[in-house]
Structure formats: structure tokens, C-alpha cells
Amino acid sequence: MKGTAMLRMVTAALLCATATACGGSTAPSPAAVTVLPPASRPPDPAAVAANELGQIPILMYHRVEAAPAGEYDQTPAKFTAELERLYSEGYRPITMAEYLAGAIDLPAGTHPVVLTFDDSTGAQLTLTPSGDPAPDCAVGLLEQFHSRHQDFAATATFYINNEPFGEDPRAVPWLVRHGYDLGAHTATHANLGQLPPADVQRELVQNLRAITAAAPGTTIHSMALPLGVYPADHVLASAGSWDGTPYRFGGVLLVGANPAVSPITAALDPTAIPRIRSGRNPVAFDSTYWLDWFDANPGARYTSDGDPKHVSFPRAVADQLSPHWASTAQSY
């Protein structure tokens, strides 16, 4: 009897601890029980035709203005139309920093695209007296597009020269605060192929100093070659030093003219990452050409599995995987 009584007391105490009040019934009422839904799981990679070894378009923009003068420039209407096409075809923006890290976290079935802007002009970012992007500059148009399509991030990578964005001291800090990525483009937009090694390194160090002075604590992950021209010693585009300041970039971007490989493939050459030109006039192998090509060859592009913990791809392309990513790979 003594053991039975003790068992009843322990059972009563346990029931009391789970009840909403210990004085009426010791069993919790149905209303007091919270039933959690099962944890959401990424879809079957095969169901979304995931291919995270596929190619990625890195688009190159320059000026976006009503009366474009240069062959690399375009109108606000054309820029917005391209954003609409990207969105409707399932592309979602990432930055070059995310690309280089292989940190591509997108919904299942969508495709990464990198928007890059060279030369840091006022046509890309002009801030109003209130500190907001002017509605007709590239950033203003991208922010407006994001307001209409919340799942299309307002982000891009800007390759900056010294005295950027009309020398407005608010511009570079604004980009950093709002999640944009910054890259180096030399201090004076120099033709690096015409400079001696010391001047190549001076151009890049002075550029980095100017960017980090404008936005302290900013990490610069990549650089874009002005005019697409390497220095005579190609290594100096990636790493060097001047006046006691070293530099090292995780990626060096070209001018054109084809999609980039996935950053998790063995074929990645971070010292020569291609971009696709987008400008006012159609040219061979421009953004329209390659978006049409991807539309006709969807299996060739990077398609996310929606699971940042794994890398998914068809078994037929498994030989393209970099060994660095083998521990997270899942083929189907």
C-alpha cells in the first residue's frame, strides 16, 4: 500500500505540473495544448530540377539615364524591363560576395543573377536632399522594383572608383547600410595594361583606402578590371601591396561575354570571372541573347534546391563538383 500511495502522489504531481491550474481537473484541457506543425522540409531536388552546378548570369551595367550616350548605357525603361524579365523567369539577385563564398540561399526552383555596376556614376546612385535615391537613377529603379516584388532583393555589386557618385559623401555609406556590395575598380579607372607594376598596385590600394574611408569596416571581396584589361602581371589584379598596405581580392571580373560557372564547380577560376553586357543596343552575346539561351536550355542554368545546407544536382553532372563541396553534395 505504501508503494502504491507514493506512486499515486508522484503521478498526481506530474499531472498537476502540466495543468493550467492545480485545483480542478489534473488533466490539461484541449485548449491548453499547442500542436506545432511538422517542420518544413525543402522539396525533393528532382521535383524542382535543382542544378546547383549550373551557370549563373553576372550582368554588367554602366549608366542608366534617359538619354544614354555610350554603348554600355541604357534607359530607365529598358533597365526596368530587364528586371521584369528576370523576375518573371525566376531569377533572384545575389551579390558577388555571396557568389564567391558559394553562399547562395534562394527559394527552391529559382536562379541566381548578379547585378553589377561599373564606374560609380550619379546615374547609378543620386541621393535627394532627404537622403533617398532619386527615382530615375539605377538604385532608385531597383528599390522601386523591390517594393513591387518583395521577393526580388534590392541588391547589387558596385565597382567604385575614387570620388564616386558625384562625390556625394552620403552615397557609399547608404549602399552599405542598405545591403549593397562594394568592389574595387581602381582609383582613376586606369588602363592597368599600360601601367608599371608599382602604379598598378598604387591604383588599387588608393582605391581601397578611399572606399573604406567612406564606409569604415567594409570588406572588399572583388575587383572589376577597368576596360576589361589586365596588368602585364595578371597576379597584381588579385593581390599586391603599396605604401605598406596589402590587398587581396577573392574574385577578378572581366567585361564579357558569357555566363559564369557555379562557384561550387571545379571549373571556377576566381581570377577571370566573366560577365554579360547589358546596354542600349543589341550586340552579340548580350543579356538578351543569354537570357534567351537559358530559356531554351534551362538545364544549363543554376537552379536552387531551396536548401542552403546541401548542394543538389543531377547525377550526370556530378564530375563538375569541386571537392571542397563534396561533404554537402546530394545528387539525384
Side-chain angles (χ1 to χ4, degrees):
M1 292 292 294
K2 185 175 181 180
T4 301
M6 180 61 72
L7 179 60
R8 289 173 178 169
M9 291 174 63
V10 171
T11 301
L14 290 172
L15 289 172
C16 181
T18 60
T20 55
C22 213
S25 171
T26 57
S29 67
V33 176
T34 300
V35 179
L36 297 176
S40 60
R41 297 177 181 176
D44 177 2
V48 295
N51 180 13
E52 297 183 328
L53 299 179
Q55 299 176 70
I56 298 173
I58 301 176
L59 303 185
M60 180 184 69
Y61 299 99
H62 284 69
R63 293 176 178 269
V64 177
E65 52 193 358
E71 60 179 343
Y72 292 105
D73 305 334
Q74 62 181 240
T75 65
K78 184 175 180 182
F79 177 64
T80 301
E82 186 150 87
L83 297 181
E84 291 282 3
R85 177 174 184 179
L86 290 168
Y87 181 75
S88 67
E89 295 181 4
Y91 293 93
R92 299 295 181 266
I94 64 171
T95 65
M96 275 308 300
E98 292 168 324
Y99 171 90
L100 292 169
I104 301 176
D105 185 3
L106 293 176
T110 61
H111 324 290
V113 61
V114 186
L115 312 178
T116 69
F117 292 84
D118 287 11
D119 304 347
S120 54
T121 63
Q124 295 169 7
L125 176 59
T126 295
L127 295 178
T128 64
S130 64
D132 298 316
D136 57 348
C137 72
V139 173
L141 294 167
L142 184 54
E143 291 283 335
Q144 293 167 56
F145 190 84
H146 169 67
S147 70
R148 299 192 298 271
H149 305 285
Q150 291 290 308
D151 56 336
F152 191 92
T155 194
T157 299
F158 285 84
Y159 289 99
I160 293 177
N161 303 117
N162 288 20
E163 303 176 357
F165 307 114
E167 299 186 64
D168 186 339
R170 304 172 298 165
V172 171
W174 189 98
L175 288 172
V176 173
R177 286 197 311 272
H178 290 83
Y180 289 85
D181 183 34
L182 305 182
H185 202 44
T186 73
T188 67
H189 200 272
N191 183 334
L192 298 180
Q194 297 179 352
L195 298 180
D199 289 347
V200 170
Q201 295 168 92
R202 173 182 53 79
E203 279 281 341
L204 289 166
V205 168
Q206 288 183 339
N207 189 210
L208 289 176
R209 287 177 177 176
I211 296 170
T212 54
T218 300
T219 300
I220 306 302
H221 299 277
S222 60
M223 71 89 71
L225 294 165
L227 311 173
V229 178
Y230 281 100
D233 182 354
H234 285 204
V235 172
L236 294 180
S238 300
S241 65
W242 178 79
D243 190 31
T245 301
Y247 64 88
R248 182 175 295 277
F249 302 114
V252 175
L253 275 70
L254 309 176
V255 166
N258 52 281
V261 299
S262 165
I264 59 177
T265 62
L268 175 66
D269 179 0
T271 69
I273 300 174
R275 292 186 288 173
I276 298 168
R277 168 180 165 181
S278 184
R280 66 191 178 106
N281 295 319
V283 296
F285 306 112
D286 64 1
S287 58
T288 298
Y289 172 91
W290 283 111
L291 291 176
D292 288 347
W293 188 85
F294 277 130
D295 190 45
N297 300 274
R301 65 186 168 191
Y302 185 117
T303 299
S304 174
D305 65 0
D307 180 5
K309 296 180 180 179
H310 292 97
V311 174
S312 300
F313 46 85
R315 195 168 289 111
V317 297
D319 61 334
Q320 298 177 18
L321 180 71
S322 166
H324 175 78
W325 299 94
S327 63
T328 62
Q330 56 180 10
S331 60
Y332 62 90

